Amino acid sequence: MSTTTGAPASGAFRVCPTTGLKVHRDADALIKANAVVATVALLVGGLAAILVLLTRWQAVHLLDEVWFYRVLTIHGMNMLIFFILFFEMAVLYFASAVLLNSRVAAPRVGWVAFALMVLGAGMVEWTMFAGKADVLFTSYVPLRAHPLFYLGVILFAVGALVVVSIFFATLVVAKNERTYEGSVPLVTFGAITAAIIAVITLVHGAAIYIPTFLWSLDLMPMDAEVYRMVWWGLGHSSQQINVAAMVAIWYLLGALTVGAVVVNEKISRTAFVLYILFISMASAHHLLVDPGFGPAWKIVNTSYFMYMAVLASMLHGFTVPAGVELGMRLRGFTQGVFGWLRRAPWGDPGFSALVLSVVVFGFVGGITGVTFGTEQINIIAHNTLRIPGHFHATVVSGTAMAFMGITYYVIPLIFRKRVAFYGMARWQPYVFAVGMLIFSMAMTFAGTFGVPRRHWDITFTNAPFDVAYSPAVDLMIGVMAVGGLLAALGGGMYILVTVWSVFFGKPLGEDCTDAALAGSVPPGVYARPFLELPEEDVAVEVHGRLGTMPGTMVLVLVFLAAFVLYYFANWKLLSFVWRVG
Amino acid sequence: MYTTGITPQKGVWWKPAHKSEKVWFTIAFAWCMVLFAMMPFWHLRGGQNPSGTRSRVDPAAYRTRVQEFVQQYQVATDNGIPVVAPPAGSDIYLQGQMWMWLPVLQLEEGSEYTLHLSSVDVNHGFNLYPFNINFQVVPGYDYALRVTPTEAGDFRVVCNEFCGVLHHTMVGRIIVRERGSSAVAALLGSDVDKGGDR
Ligand code: HEM
Ligand SMILES: [Cu+2]
Ligand SMILES: [Cu+2]
């Protein structure tokens, strides 16, 4: 019997071998391989993060200038490209083969793709460490890296494209072999969204890296602005892959940890489709203060045609917590407006990671992103520390945090191991998220004083003219360092827990009673997320104007208020600077 | 009956949305329209827009244009970099190169200038300290922005786009003198070698 078809309403997996989720061996192995390499990239990128952080912290100023820019390149590539993408490859196998209970189409090709990606990543690593690619991850021409750097990226991208194709082929196989009934689950739908965006992204990638590779061999000319436009077609769309994958994982974590329901499939799926429709316009918000484009183009494109992708994120930002709230209310956690939140499993690292990811992504990453991506406000944000402050709250506190949370379920469900140092695992999301929150807010704040990103020495010792930032900047940089170190500690805890569990962890064993599993895997794995749903819809209490999901309604209204405040405060700030037009 | 995000959907899932979702959708949609409308609005009523006049320029030609500009208006030298005092309202030029900004500009408070930004090698970033004003400086493109310094003072131009290993030493200078004061008088207060070595 397959567990997904005819699964109970909670849709939960069973972990016991007898009733267990049927994971096909190929899917299993491919997920493991990609996840392991992702973790290696995270480790390299994390060590680089500490070095970069301790250099930007002027009180320590660890690296010399050559190694600072080199290690910053290493950090960007390993984190943003290798860690995130290898992990996403694992997510694609999971959302197709595992969730649909199917075999992987063409597993051999999957291994070839994996090898290509590892080879490509290896070439990039070699050029970076050998000092032949000190160009940062954006590699804006005419800065020039060794040709193998570009070739490595191309091979890596081709490998990723092949995995995306296998994902689509697996969907077809599952459909044909009737491994599930009806339409794919929402989480798979979200993964499909991510995969479609990935195709668009990788086409942009080919459009930019192949010419740049040829340019690096002196075979063709390259225009600096055209490079920036096409490169960000890749660079930004890939962030939208991350967002789509992260939101899919939000729904997945909600289901696994508390049996969150989907309040309305239509709304959630339509919101995913909005991501696809408006994504190729996104490169614009990196080019708002560039000389290549006029105001009309900038306005239409930076807003993804009237903020339709922002609308999509705001919808998910509602439906994800609403699903958690309604799911818990249906199971009887109906006390007051926030009773469901008080009774939620805060000690489950999957659940805390979900909440922290949603909150930091929304409140810090989302609000700053939309604000800085406004055509004119970008004048007071572009290339300052506000930008890395923003994206450490999106792709790190949002996406990476969600990926970490789901790992605590992948370890028992796929690797079939207990989570090592489970007590530490319970703390890990808090340490990482709080550290990142402090780090990115301090960075954003320092950036409002105009402190540049990607800069080795903001005391400007060797510059012809002195620049002295306000003492508040020193303070903020110090706070940033403390937050960053805390986050790095959280990252280290994650790596320790996952690596230990996978390589030296105790197997789950045959005994799958609560007593045997408690304290070594997240509760969602064995204690059915708060009992099964009742067959009939129970009437849920309506809380006056706030409706059936009052807690979520309050939360999103608080969010909106913060958004409006920050947004208009930035217009105000902008109005103080020189007139320019 | 409700299901979770990992349950395949049998039958039709296109069902009417929940009331709360409709409310939030309406609010969010309205907010998105505000976000959108603010940008055209600021073009009409606001004082800070990144529009400018944008054209392609050959880096060598730009370098020549900047040299002419310096010859025409140089009044002093500062740290080996020429200081120019162009007339109010004129076209002024700033050249980004590894790793300096050329020349030092001396402007008058409250006058509008057309500031041309370009690079003769790689990308650079124009960041005006202590005001936080930022523009991308791209080789091959002339970004001509109308700027009005709104107050007098001694400003810095910090490069904030990575441009090579000495990127962090790339700092330029813009001096804004009070309205009506002469170029030379303004220099007396600052540590510029008046007269220079032209
Ligand atoms: C362990 C926690 C982390 C710390 C302490 C950290 C710290 C930093 C610091 C200090 C910078 C340099 C900012 C600058 O000088 O402009 C930076 C840049 C960056 N970080 Fe992180 N980071 C962390 C995790 C991550 C993760 C997980 C990702 C991606 C998934 C990431 C992506 C980036 C990117 C893309 C850059 C920009 C590089 C560039 O400007 O070329 N970071 N990070
Ligand atoms: Cu972006
Ligand atoms: Cu520069």
Side-chain angles (χ1 to χ4, degrees), chain A residues 134-219:
Chain A
D134 295 335
V135 291
L136 304 187
F137 78 101
T138 42
S139 55
Y140 292 138
V141 303
L143 289 176
R144 191 185 283 259
H146 192 282
L148 284 185
F149 175 81
Y150 308 106
L151 187 62
V153 175
I154 293 169
L155 294 184
F156 180 82
V158 169
L161 196 55
V162 172
V163 178
V164 175
S165 318
I166 296 174
F167 168 78
F168 286 120
T170 305
L171 295 182
V172 175
V173 166
K175 188 97 207 157
N176 289 344
E177 298 179 358
R178 302 178 154 278
T179 61
Y180 66 98
E181 284 171 48
S183 314
V184 295
L186 179 62
V187 171
T188 308
F189 192 87
I192 294 175
T193 313
I196 293 173
I197 301 170
V199 173
I200 302 172
T201 305
L202 292 164
V203 169
H204 278 107
I208 196 61
Y209 275 100
I210 293 172
T212 309
F213 173 56
L214 296 176
W215 166 82
S216 74
L217 295 168
D218 288 323
L219 294 177

Side-chain angles (χ1 to χ4, degrees), chain A residues 49 52 56 75 79 137 391-392 396 436 439 453-454 484:
Chain A
V52 169
R56 287 231 54 159
H75 175 63
M79 290 301 208
F137 78 101
F391 65 69
H392 281 86
V396 187
M436 259 301 143
F439 172 77
R453 68 184 286 197
R454 300 176 154 180

Side-chain angles (χ1 to χ4, degrees), chain A residues 4 6 9-11 65-66 69 99 134-136 140-143 180-187 223-225 228 252 255-256 259-267 269-270 288-291 293-295 298-299 302-303 306-308 311 314-315 318-319 326 330 370 374-376 379-384 447-448 450 452 454-457 460 462-469 533 535 537 548-549 553 556-557 560 563-564 567-568 571 574-581, chain B residues 1-11 13-25 27-29 31-43 45-56 78-79 81 98-99 101 104 107 117 121-151 155-156 158-174 176:
Chain A
T4 11
S10 60
E65 61 268 54
V66 173
Y69 296 118
L99 283 184
D134 295 335
V135 291
L136 304 187
Y140 292 138
V141 303
L143 289 176
Y180 66 98
E181 284 171 48
S183 314
V184 295
L186 179 62
V187 171
D223 180 280
E225 185 69 278
R228 280 173 57 79
L252 178 58
L256 293 173
V261 298
V262 179
V263 180
N264 183 286
E265 293 276 347
K266 175 177 76 177
I267 294 282
R269 286 175 197 235
T270 308
L288 293 174
V289 293
D290 268 45
F293 316 88
K298 288 175 178 174
I299 292 179
T302 194
S303 66
M306 302 204 177
Y307 290 101
M308 286 303 116
L311 179 64
M314 286 176 78
L315 288 176
F318 179 87
T319 58
L326 190 59
L330 288 169
V370 175
T374 302
E375 189 203 3
Q376 295 90 347
I379 294 174
I380 54 169
H382 182 69
N383 274 354
T384 66
T448 50
R454 300 176 154 180
H455 203 280
W456 179 67
D457 180 20
F460 301 92
N462 297 318
F465 306 109
D466 61 316
V467 177
Y469 290 111
L533 278 175
E535 278 290 327
D537 278 352
T548 38
M549 291 153 283
M553 209 59 187
V556 294
L557 290 176
L560 186 69
F563 199 162
V564 172
Y567 181 70
F568 284 110
W571 282 111
L574 176 68
S575 72
F576 294 143
V577 306
W578 287 7
R579 290 182 67 85
V580 52
Chain B
M1 182 181 151
Y2 288 107
T3 55
T4 73
I6 50 183
T7 324
Q9 296 299 302
K10 289 170 215 155
W13 46 261
W14 190 265
K15 296 193 188 122
H18 207 281
K19 172 129 181 290
S20 310
E21 281 180 320
K22 284 187 189 153
V23 171
W24 177 244
F25 174 85
I27 296 174
F29 187 82
W31 174 237
C32 288
M33 293 304 111
V34 173
L35 294 175
F36 185 72
M38 275 307 288
M39 293 186 287
F41 169 78
W42 203 262
H43 274 282
R45 306 297 289 276
Q48 298 79 14
N49 288 288
S51 321
T53 316
R54 304 159 313 277
S55 54
R56 284 180 185 258
D78 189 358
N79 267 312
I81 303 169
M98 292 155 135
W99 289 282
W101 294 104
V104 170
L107 311 177
L117 294 172
D121 40 47
V122 298
N123 275 271
H124 297 279
F126 173 92
N127 165 268
L128 187 74
Y129 164 94
F131 277 121
N132 185 11
I133 301 179
N134 303 279
F135 290 99
Q136 187 78 18
V137 180
V138 183
Y141 289 79
D142 178 355
Y143 204 170
L145 294 149
R146 283 178 305 281
V147 298
T148 311
T150 42
E151 62 186 73
F155 299 90
R156 298 289 177 266
V158 174
C159 177
N160 67 2
E161 182 59 82
F162 173 68
C163 56
V165 73
L166 292 182
H167 160 54
H168 47 270
T169 63
M170 185 166 162
V171 177
R173 182 174 189 191
I174 295 181
V176 180

Side-chain angles (χ1 to χ4, degrees), chain A residues 232 235-237 239-240 282-283 285-286 304 390:
Chain A
W232 280 112
H236 194 89
S237 317
Q239 299 320 307
Q240 214 69 17
S283 75
H285 65 218
H286 301 266
Y304 310 81
H390 148 72

